[in-house]
Amino acid sequence: MKVDEGARSIGRGPSLLFSMRPPSLEVFSTKINLPQASAGVARQYSGTLGKVGNCQIGVSTHAGSDIASCPLAWRLFLPAPWDGPDAAACPEACRIPEDEHHQPKWRLALDMLDELAGIGLRPAALVADAGYGANVNFRHGLEDRGLGYVLQVSAYSLTT
Protein backbone atom coordinates (compact mmCIF):
# COMPACT_ATOMS: atom_id res chain seq x y z
CA MET A 1 0.00 0.00 0.00
CA LYS A 2 1.36 3.41 -0.94
CA VAL A 3 1.68 6.03 1.80
CA ASP A 4 -0.92 8.22 0.03
CA GLU A 5 -3.41 5.32 -0.05
CA GLY A 6 -2.75 4.60 3.62
CA ALA A 7 -3.25 8.21 4.64
CA ARG A 8 -6.48 8.40 2.64
CA SER A 9 -7.83 5.21 4.20
CA ILE A 10 -7.24 6.60 7.71
CA GLY A 11 -9.72 9.39 6.96
CA ARG A 12 -12.57 7.14 5.72
CA GLY A 13 -15.79 6.72 7.63
CA PRO A 14 -16.56 8.65 10.80
CA SER A 15 -12.90 9.18 11.64
CA LEU A 16 -11.32 12.57 11.10
CA LEU A 17 -7.93 13.12 9.54
CA PHE A 18 -6.45 16.39 10.77
CA SER A 19 -3.88 18.18 8.71
CA MET A 20 -1.51 20.92 9.81
CA ARG A 21 -1.15 23.19 6.84
CA PRO A 22 2.39 24.21 5.96
CA PRO A 23 3.85 26.37 8.71
CA SER A 24 4.48 29.16 6.26
CA LEU A 25 1.01 29.45 4.77
CA GLU A 26 0.33 33.13 4.18
CA VAL A 27 -2.99 34.32 5.47
CA PHE A 28 -2.81 37.13 2.90
CA SER A 29 -0.64 35.53 0.26
CA THR A 30 -1.40 38.21 -2.32
CA LYS A 31 -0.08 40.98 -0.07
CA ILE A 32 3.62 40.33 0.06
CA ASN A 33 5.04 43.76 0.96
CA LEU A 34 2.65 44.63 3.75
CA PRO A 35 3.17 47.74 5.84
CA GLN A 36 4.64 47.22 9.30
CA ALA A 37 1.30 48.31 10.78
CA SER A 38 -0.20 44.98 9.64
CA ALA A 39 -0.36 42.35 12.38
CA GLY A 40 2.56 39.94 12.45
CA VAL A 41 4.37 41.25 9.38
CA ALA A 42 8.09 40.61 9.43
CA ARG A 43 10.88 39.53 7.14
CA GLN A 44 10.64 35.78 7.54
CA TYR A 45 10.89 32.60 5.51
CA SER A 46 7.72 31.67 3.66
CA GLY A 47 7.25 28.26 2.11
CA THR A 48 4.62 29.75 -0.19
CA LEU A 49 7.07 32.36 -1.44
CA GLY A 50 9.99 29.93 -1.30
CA LYS A 51 12.16 32.67 0.16
CA VAL A 52 12.41 35.31 2.88
CA GLY A 53 9.98 38.17 2.45
CA ASN A 54 7.83 40.68 4.31
CA CYS A 55 4.74 38.63 5.07
CA GLN A 56 2.21 37.42 7.59
CA ILE A 57 2.13 33.72 8.44
CA GLY A 58 -0.77 31.71 9.74
CA VAL A 59 -0.96 28.23 11.24
CA SER A 60 -4.11 26.24 10.57
CA THR A 61 -5.72 22.91 11.36
CA HIS A 62 -7.98 21.22 8.82
CA ALA A 63 -10.25 18.18 8.92
CA GLY A 64 -10.06 16.16 5.75
CA SER A 65 -11.37 13.07 4.01
CA ASP A 66 -11.16 11.62 0.50
CA ILE A 67 -13.62 14.18 -0.81
CA ALA A 68 -13.41 17.30 1.33
CA SER A 69 -11.26 19.48 3.54
CA CYS A 70 -12.49 22.02 6.06
CA PRO A 71 -10.45 24.50 8.11
CA LEU A 72 -11.16 24.10 11.82
CA ALA A 73 -8.83 26.63 13.45
CA TRP A 74 -6.39 29.39 12.48
CA ARG A 75 -3.76 31.29 14.44
CA LEU A 76 -1.74 34.30 13.37
CA PHE A 77 1.95 33.66 13.93
CA LEU A 78 3.59 36.62 15.68
CA PRO A 79 7.34 36.54 14.95
CA ALA A 80 9.76 36.99 17.86
CA PRO A 81 10.66 40.58 16.85
CA TRP A 82 7.05 41.55 17.60
CA ASP A 83 7.81 40.99 21.29
CA GLY A 84 10.98 43.08 21.24
CA PRO A 85 11.47 46.68 22.35
CA ASP A 86 11.82 47.93 18.76
CA ALA A 87 8.28 46.81 17.98
CA ALA A 88 6.57 47.93 21.20
CA ALA A 89 4.06 50.12 19.35
CA CYS A 90 3.21 47.54 16.65
CA PRO A 91 0.94 45.22 18.67
CA GLU A 92 -0.99 48.21 20.01
CA ALA A 93 -1.32 49.80 16.56
CA CYS A 94 -2.59 46.48 15.18
CA ARG A 95 -4.93 45.94 18.15
CA ILE A 96 -3.26 42.70 19.19
CA PRO A 97 -4.34 41.85 22.75
CA GLU A 98 -1.67 42.46 25.40
CA ASP A 99 -1.62 38.79 26.40
CA GLU A 100 -0.76 37.64 22.85
CA HIS A 101 2.96 37.11 22.28
CA HIS A 102 5.31 35.18 20.05
CA GLN A 103 4.89 31.41 20.25
CA PRO A 104 6.56 28.86 18.01
CA LYS A 105 4.35 27.48 15.24
CA TRP A 106 4.41 23.99 16.75
CA ARG A 107 3.06 25.39 20.05
CA LEU A 108 0.23 27.18 18.21
CA ALA A 109 -0.61 23.89 16.50
CA LEU A 110 -0.72 21.93 19.78
CA ASP A 111 -2.87 24.64 21.38
CA MET A 112 -5.36 24.39 18.50
CA LEU A 113 -5.45 20.59 18.83
CA ASP A 114 -6.16 20.96 22.57
CA GLU A 115 -8.99 23.41 21.90
CA LEU A 116 -10.51 21.10 19.29
CA ALA A 117 -10.22 18.13 21.67
CA GLY A 118 -12.08 20.24 24.25
CA ILE A 119 -15.12 20.27 21.97
CA GLY A 120 -14.84 16.58 21.12
CA LEU A 121 -12.83 16.75 17.89
CA ARG A 122 -9.89 14.34 18.00
CA PRO A 123 -8.30 13.09 14.79
CA ALA A 124 -7.89 9.44 13.93
CA ALA A 125 -4.49 10.60 12.68
CA LEU A 126 -2.72 13.90 12.16
CA VAL A 127 -0.76 14.64 8.99
CA ALA A 128 1.82 17.42 8.80
CA ASP A 129 4.78 18.51 6.72
CA ALA A 130 8.47 18.47 7.58
CA GLY A 131 8.24 21.83 9.32
CA TYR A 132 6.40 19.99 12.08
CA GLY A 133 7.85 16.53 11.54
CA ALA A 134 11.38 17.72 12.23
CA ASN A 135 10.34 19.24 15.56
CA VAL A 136 10.83 16.84 18.48
CA ASN A 137 8.70 19.01 20.80
CA PHE A 138 5.76 18.75 18.41
CA ARG A 139 6.12 14.98 18.03
CA HIS A 140 6.34 14.50 21.80
CA GLY A 141 3.32 16.78 22.24
CA LEU A 142 1.31 14.55 19.91
CA GLU A 143 2.47 11.44 21.76
CA ASP A 144 1.63 13.00 25.15
CA ARG A 145 -1.90 13.60 23.84
CA GLY A 146 -2.19 10.04 22.53
CA LEU A 147 -2.61 11.22 18.92
CA GLY A 148 -1.61 9.09 15.96
CA TYR A 149 0.35 10.93 13.31
CA VAL A 150 2.01 10.73 9.93
CA LEU A 151 4.68 13.44 9.67
CA GLN A 152 7.01 14.27 6.82
CA VAL A 153 10.67 14.33 7.77
CA SER A 154 13.77 15.17 5.80
CA ALA A 155 15.88 12.27 4.60
CA TYR A 156 18.69 13.78 6.65
CA SER A 157 16.73 14.14 9.91
CA LEU A 158 17.32 12.10 13.02
CA THR A 159 14.04 11.48 14.84
CA THR A 160 13.46 10.38 18.41
Side-chain angles (χ1 to χ4, degrees):
M1 176 184 293
K2 292 182 181 176
V3 172
D4 288 346
E5 292 170 351
R8 278 196 292 271
S9 68
I10 292 170
R12 294 186 202 278
S15 302
L16 287 176
L17 175 69
F18 281 13
S19 170
M20 299 308 305
R21 302 307 282 183
S24 54
L25 172 73
E26 273 67 41
V27 177
F28 303 105
S29 59
T30 58
K31 297 181 181 178
I32 304 306
N33 294 314
L34 298 170
Q36 290 302 318
S38 296
V41 170
R43 290 198 54 75
Q44 53 194 329
Y45 178 78
S46 161
T48 302
L49 294 173
K51 62 182 182 178
V52 173
N54 251 7
C55 58
Q56 292 167 310
I57 294 181
V59 178
S60 62
T61 305
H62 296 244
S65 70
D66 282 353
I67 59 172
S69 174
C70 177
L72 300 175
W74 288 86
R75 294 291 181 278
L76 176 65
F77 172 71
L78 292 175
W82 273 68
D83 278 343
D86 294 339
C90 291
E92 184 178 332
C94 296
R95 298 184 180 176
I96 295 173
E98 287 183 22
D99 60 344
E100 291 294 324
H101 299 282
H102 166 75
Q103 292 186 42
K105 294 170 190 141
W106 64 268
R107 168 52 49 203
L108 294 173
L110 290 176
D111 289 348
M112 285 187 286
L113 292 171
D114 290 342
E115 289 176 18
L116 292 168
I119 59 170
L121 292 175
R122 284 182 51 87
L126 182 127
V127 178
D129 70 9
Y132 294 95
N135 188 297
V136 68
N137 294 319
F138 183 68
R139 293 193 312 269
H140 288 186
L142 295 176
E143 291 167 4
D144 292 345
R145 289 160 176 78
L147 296 174
Y149 57 84
V150 178
L151 302 176
Q152 180 184 17
V153 293
S154 164
Y156 304 103
S157 295
L158 294 176
T159 58
T160 57

